[in-house]
Amino acid sequence: MNFEILAPCGGIESLEAAVRCGANAVYLGTKELNARRNAHNFDFDELKRAVRYCHERNVKVYVTVNTLVFDSEFDAAYETVVSCLECGADAFIVQDLGLAKMIRKCFPDAKLHASTQCSVNTPEGFRELERLGFSRAVVPREMSLDEIKEIRRSTDMELEMFVHGALCMSVSGQCYLSGMLGGRSGNRGLCAQPCRLAFSADEKEAHDLSLKDLSLIEHLAEIESAGVFSLKIEGRMKRPEYVAAAVTACKNAIEGRYSKKNGETLKNVFSRSGFTDGYFTGKRNDMFGIRLKEDVTAAGGVLKELSRLYEKEAPLIELSLDFTCTENEPVTLTGKANGKTVTATGAAPEKALNKPLTEDSVKERLSKLGGTPYYAGEIKITLGEGLIIPASGLNALRREVCEKLGEEKKREFTALGYEPIPPRIKRGAPYYTARFTSASQIPDNHPFKRIFLPLQADGNDFVKHKAGVEIPRGLFGCEEKLKSRLAELKALGVREALCSNLGAYKTAESLGFTAYGDFGLNITNSETARLFRSPVLSFELTLSQAEKINADDTGIIGYGRLPLMLTRNCPVKTRVGCERCKKNGALSDRKGYSFPVVCSPYPCVEILNSVPLILSDRIGEINTDFIHFYFTDEDKSEVNDIVNMYKTRKKFNGNYTRGLYYRGVK
């Protein structure tokens, strides 16, 4: 099996554990712009040392800059990339398409890996990532084996996938629960994991949003058949012993030595009621679990044993040596490792009075490579007769060769200047657009410039209301089904499509639709906004941030029950079943708030906020080009009332939220 083992490193001890246990690459974050900002992470001095340590051991270093970026952060992002390249980083893991655009433009030598946070889940989406300059992409954790194979056939990019670690309930990049409930955005690296708290479809204290951890290490033959190259381990917030256990298990599985003990060790060091492979196999009935007391106490029995796996330097790299010692000439030692050749020179030898050097004594001394990543390979000796040099001299030559081999040659790279896009000046009064769950909600004389109905709505309703089509965010394995349905709608005269992921946007464009960007594209800056037509900006922006986005025709969601999660495993179906739910499911949290769960004929369900976003009395403070209304469970009468409320700027009489438009996210 020809895999890369890619290990998480939240700090230097985890990095050493990963490398010493056999990782081929590590991924880590700097202090900012990464999706695990609560990990220790690395400042640039630490990063430089980490890269040298890894490269000396033939291990690659990928830096995570996988968060959404605000316009005000682009100068700092540029400097971060410069510093990482100066440190020798091998690639950048990126979520924000605007940031990727900047890196590609300003640093043409930099390698880009698309984060799973990009939320791309169709073949066309992966092809577009490749066109955007990515050389590798991480496939969503929610994909089955057959769906991964479909992606493999669609692109020449390297594919990376998570094979062990925590599973989020939501599709990556499509969770706003932590941001909305506490201002700590998962898309900005500060997720508070509220999904691990009690959310129940039918009873108190159930944890219907908490999944078991993923483990696919026993499926490596199938993963290899899918054309995946990199095996990614989740866990930059986890302890070094966890990293050691997971890397060792992956290495043993690749070498055909994976055992039941490996699995038990993984479970003991960290699990949530065991592991799941439900998304990969398509068997999603038993995926839920929480961290129980026995899960916590089990770790105590394996930590000491695991720490021994990485307490000493493992000799990973073969070192070939060529030693020359002849009369009246400086002694030289040349070392070759990792394709690099270096030479150390010492003083000329002296005539031996008693015991001259022998080939065996020189080889013995030069082979003492403890504390280094090297083990002795071929050692060539050219030795004159009757000569001697001090043992300390031989040791010094050996140390100098090892040090020179470990030196990180300054990497040359192109850095073109970056000019940030200036903030846009204030716009005029915004116009209105809307999406509806059903055509029955649409008022007879509505004020909306564009309206959209779900993909599965009746064709006659699209025609009657001159509506565009809203394409689902989750399209796992459904691209051909999507194309077929879009062709039907196009034949009926539908010409506009509202798209929340990259693949849907490009598919709609390729079929001749006018595609518009929706909130699921997570647009938080001008660079990303300029990639899409008339985009609905992320509702994790403040009003002030949104109005400054400098792109043509941008809007925000100004009304509605905001979608907080997109999940492939329906928590209501799992808990109570579809018969009992009757498409009226909801989850209750520990405070008694109810969050509607909306299903569809496509692979994912939406979990909506417990109360609607209302800005009717603050309409004068919205300075984007348009306001998008997100109607869900309102009937036509309620829609009319809401429209009138916004026309008259009347305050809503009931429970509501202002969302994040005033408080923002961290």
Side-chain angles (χ1 to χ4, degrees), residues 1 48 52 56 115 145 150 160 245 279 303 326 375 396 409 430 450 464 521 586:
M1 294 182 181
K48 191 171 185 178
R52 173 176 173 167
E56 186 179 9
S115 169
L145 173 61
E150 182 185 30
E160 176 180 307
Y279 286 133
L303 294 179
T326 56
Y375 62 90
K409 183 180 178 182
R450 294 187 295 273
K464 177 181 177 181
L521 291 166

Side-chain angles (χ1 to χ4, degrees), residues 145-162:
L145 173 61
D146 287 341
E147 289 162 357
I148 295 169
K149 288 181 177 180
E150 182 185 30
I151 299 303
R152 174 71 286 161
R153 293 190 295 268
S154 73
T155 177
D156 292 326
M157 283 190 299
E158 289 180 347
L159 296 184
E160 176 180 307
M161 70 176 290
F162 284 95

Side-chain angles (χ1 to χ4, degrees), residues 432-468:
Y432 293 172
T433 65
R435 63 82 70 186
F436 296 89
T437 301
S438 165
S440 64
Q441 300 170 291
I442 302 174
D444 295 329
N445 296 300
H446 63 74
F448 304 113
K449 181 177 178 179
R450 294 187 295 273
I451 64 172
F452 297 93
L453 289 170
L455 187 62
Q456 66 271 18
D458 187 273
N460 292 326
D461 288 332
F462 284 99
V463 176
K464 177 181 177 181
H465 296 284
K466 298 179 182 178

Side-chain angles (χ1 to χ4, degrees), residues 492-654:
L492 293 172
V494 180
R495 289 293 181 269
E496 296 179 324
L498 185 61
C499 310
S500 253
N501 70 68
L502 188 62
Y505 192 91
K506 290 300 172 181
T507 296
E509 277 194 332
S510 70
L511 293 176
F513 285 77
T514 299
Y516 298 93
D518 204 359
F519 72 91
L521 291 166
N522 289 329
I523 298 170
T524 59
N525 59 69
S526 301
E527 292 284 5
T528 308
R530 292 184 175 197
L531 292 171
F532 302 98
R533 179 183 290 103
S534 302
V536 177
L537 303 175
S538 168
F539 51 76
E540 292 193 323
L541 292 170
T542 64
L543 288 181
S544 176
Q545 289 171 323
E547 72 177 43
K548 293 174 184 175
I549 297 289
N550 194 343
D552 290 339
D553 199 34
T554 62
I556 62 165
I557 294 178
Y559 168 81
R561 284 184 182 266
L562 297 176
L564 301 186
M565 268 193 182
L566 179 76
T567 176
R568 195 164 185 189
N569 196 338
C570 179
V572 179
K573 178 181 178 180
T574 300
R575 173 65 64 180
V576 305
C578 295
E579 284 296 317
R580 180 174 165 187
C581 170
K582 300 186 186 301
K583 297 187 178 182
N584 290 306
L587 294 172
S588 297
D589 70 2
R590 67 196 191 285
K591 296 181 179 180
Y593 291 105
S594 181
F595 299 80
V597 178
V598 182
C599 59
S600 86
Y602 284 82
C604 297
V605 301
E606 302 268 14
I607 300 174
L608 306 180
N609 200 8
S610 58
V611 294
L613 169 76
I614 301 284
L615 294 173
S616 55
D617 56 324
R618 299 287 186 91
I619 198 77
E621 299 167 23
I622 301 176
N623 294 305
T624 51
D625 294 295
F626 65 93
I627 298 172
H628 189 60
F629 287 68
Y630 195 89
F631 294 113
T632 52
D633 57 358
E634 303 87 350
D635 60 28
K636 184 184 289 189
S637 175
E638 289 171 320
V639 170
N640 269 316
D641 289 343
I642 290 161
V643 169
N644 289 329
M645 189 170 63
Y646 274 72
K647 284 181 179 178
T648 59
R649 304 191 179 190
K650 184 179 178 181
K651 189 171 183 178
F652 182 67
N653 185 22

Side-chain angles (χ1 to χ4, degrees), residues 63-250:
V63 176
T64 58
V65 284
N66 56 339
T67 65
L68 299 181
V69 183
F70 298 143
D71 275 339
S72 60
E73 296 171 325
F74 265 78
D75 281 334
Y78 179 91
E79 295 301 327
T80 294
V81 175
V82 169
S83 298
C84 291
L85 289 172
E86 287 176 343
C87 291
D90 294 289
F92 296 93
I93 304 172
V94 183
Q95 171 188 6
D96 193 299
L97 296 182
L99 178 61
K101 182 171 72 170
M102 184 272 281
I103 295 174
R104 187 180 72 254
K105 178 181 177 181
C106 299
F107 307 97
D109 306 318
K111 286 189 175 181
L112 296 177
H113 294 178
S115 169
T116 188
Q117 291 282 116
C118 289
S119 299
V120 175
N121 50 55
T122 64
E124 186 58 43
F126 278 83
R127 282 191 289 270
E128 183 61 17
L129 287 175
E130 190 170 6
R131 288 190 286 265
L132 289 172
F134 289 94
S135 61
R136 178 187 292 192
V138 188
V139 299
R141 294 171 175 89
E142 300 80 20
M143 278 192 166
S144 69
L145 173 61
D146 287 341
E147 289 162 357
I148 295 169
K149 288 181 177 180
E150 182 185 30
I151 299 303
R152 174 71 286 161
R153 293 190 295 268
S154 73
T155 177
D156 292 326
M157 283 190 299
E158 289 180 347
L159 296 184
E160 176 180 307
M161 70 176 290
F162 284 95
V163 295
H164 192 81
L167 271 180
C168 295
M169 182 66 181
S170 177
V171 173
S172 294
Q174 299 299 308
C175 185
Y176 310 98
L177 188 68
S178 178
M180 285 296 297
L181 298 188
R184 294 177 55 182
S185 170
N187 285 315
R188 298 266 298 162
L190 287 175
C191 181
Q193 297 188 352
C195 57
R196 301 296 181 187
L197 300 175
F199 282 86
S200 176
D202 73 340
E203 60 182 273
K204 292 183 179 180
E205 297 305 316
H207 293 77
D208 292 337
L209 293 179
S210 182
L211 295 179
K212 296 178 180 179
D213 280 16
L214 168 76
S215 193
L216 300 177
I217 296 175
E218 296 186 59
H219 291 280
L220 293 196
E222 296 160 276
I223 291 171
E224 184 180 40
S225 74
V228 171
F229 171 66
S230 183
L231 307 177
K232 189 170 193 173
I233 299 163
E234 183 277 336
R236 280 192 288 143
M237 300 286 289
K238 302 281 200 328
R239 60 196 309 155
E241 292 90 344
Y242 164 90
V243 176
V247 171
T248 299
C250 285

